[in-house]
Amino acid sequence: MLHNPRGAAPYDDILKAPKDAGVIFSAQASLYNDYAYFWRWAFWKVFEQDPSKSGVVSFITASSWLSGPAFLGLRRLAREHADEMWVIDLGGEGRGARTEQNVFAIQTPVAIVTLYRNGKGKKGYCPVRYRRITGTTAEKFAALHKVDPPTNAADDPWTTVSVDAGGTLIPEAGGADWTSMPALTDVFPYQQPGVMANRSWPIGPSEAVLAKRWDALIEATGGDERAKRFVTPTTGRNIHTSVRGLPTLSTLLPGAQHQPIVRFGFRPFDRQWIINDPRLLALERPRLWESQSDKQVYLTTFTMSAIGEGPALTVTAYVCRRRVNTDPLVPSER
């Protein structure tokens, strides 16, 4: 990683910003996407080597940095360096509730972002001009051939995004009345992402089924066979992983008792059972389990993905599984 004269890596300011702002840890994982490093390197190379010089940085990358809660440091840095910022949002979500065609053979939304600096010195954060292009892949390419720079004309398809330094750069739908309403995460500030098992067998329709699956695991006395039944990933926990307070799975003898089998919110309105054993789960979310009680109510919703048809949130009395493209469980003690 590049280093600057202050002795800190340039990417440190990107990592520090969400921590200082209290962004949940699971959201911060998105900062380690390769494209974010390329953006930070470009700022360092073009804008920070000689602040008196003009420069242009323009990439087409995943658009998540424009609105993701963990990227507020990257957005702030971009607007500190540039005199003007243009965003062409091409969309292309292929996995959420509102899918559309992408300009690439991927399922991740993308955007073309261009930053300009004239080298004359600047104060404050640069303005942001935004334009959304929709349609099929062919229609998006055709529209890109006709894109003109932003103007101040009444019929200009570009809009000005009015946000603070680290705010989202994708305009909110619904207008000022909608954006003035409090976010669910403001009303329920304690948030936790759901449990990630990364294997299906510790979750089942009954206690008896899970007890049989557990017995099948520990009846395998050979290490290779037990690892196979465990469903060992290429990274993460395996039968030799040490978890505080529990012996490793590789040392258990046939007949060893399993940890408690408890109710689990597998999907909305789909109550299953789970072996509540951190050795079997990729991310067990201990703080979430600590919040469990007979008075607890959990709200599950999307906070970083578009909501399509169906309920905006669901209510459950059980700890739930984290689902793809969903964000935190928001517990509320009643």
Side-chain angles (χ1 to χ4, degrees), residues 75-84 122-128 163-166:
R75 292 192 291 269
R76 184 182 300 142
L77 196 65
R79 298 186 64 200
E80 282 179 351
H81 285 309
D83 291 300
E84 194 166 351
K122 63 184 295 291
K123 294 182 180 180
Y125 297 100
C126 75
V128 179
V163 294
D164 58 23

Side-chain angles (χ1 to χ4, degrees), residues 219-240:
E219 284 171 1
T221 54
D224 290 343
E225 180 60 25
R226 185 170 290 186
K228 180 180 178 182
R229 296 186 186 185
F230 176 73
V231 186
T232 304
T234 55
T235 61
R237 292 177 177 175
N238 55 52
I239 62 173
H240 306 291

Side-chain angles (χ1 to χ4, degrees), residues 144-289:
L144 283 172
H145 282 292
K146 300 177 182 179
V147 169
D148 291 320
T151 68
N152 293 320
D155 58 349
D156 186 8
W158 295 81
T159 60
T160 299
V161 182
S162 299
V163 294
D164 58 23
T168 177
L169 302 182
I170 296 180
E172 296 270 357
D177 290 342
W178 172 259
T179 56
S180 67
M181 296 180 182
L184 186 63
T185 51
D186 295 330
V187 179
F188 298 99
Y190 175 65
Q191 307 148 41
Q192 286 288 299
V195 172
M196 291 183 65
N198 283 7
R199 55 186 57 83
S200 60
W201 69 264
I203 302 168
S206 71
E207 295 176 88
V209 166
L210 293 182
K212 289 181 179 179
R213 291 177 182 175
W214 170 263
D215 290 341
L217 172 70
I218 61 173
E219 284 171 1
T221 54
D224 290 343
E225 180 60 25
R226 185 170 290 186
K228 180 180 178 182
R229 296 186 186 185
F230 176 73
V231 186
T232 304
T234 55
T235 61
R237 292 177 177 175
N238 55 52
I239 62 173
H240 306 291
T241 300
S242 177
V243 176
R244 181 179 297 180
L246 295 171
T248 61
L249 294 173
S250 61
T251 62
L252 294 178
L253 298 176
Q257 289 298 304
H258 54 71
Q259 293 296 302
I261 298 175
V262 299
R263 274 294 196 181
F264 185 64
F266 186 58
R267 296 186 182 93
F269 313 112
D270 183 4
R271 295 178 295 174
Q272 300 281 330
W273 296 84
I274 188 171
I275 305 175
N276 189 13
D277 187 333
R279 297 170 296 182
L280 310 182
L281 309 175
L283 294 170
E284 74 274 18
R285 314 299 188 191
R287 291 183 61 191
L288 192 57
W289 287 107

Side-chain angles (χ1 to χ4, degrees), residues 14 42 65 151 237 299 309 319:
I14 307 301
W65 77 280
T151 68
R237 292 177 177 175
L299 306 180
E309 296 181 358
V319 170

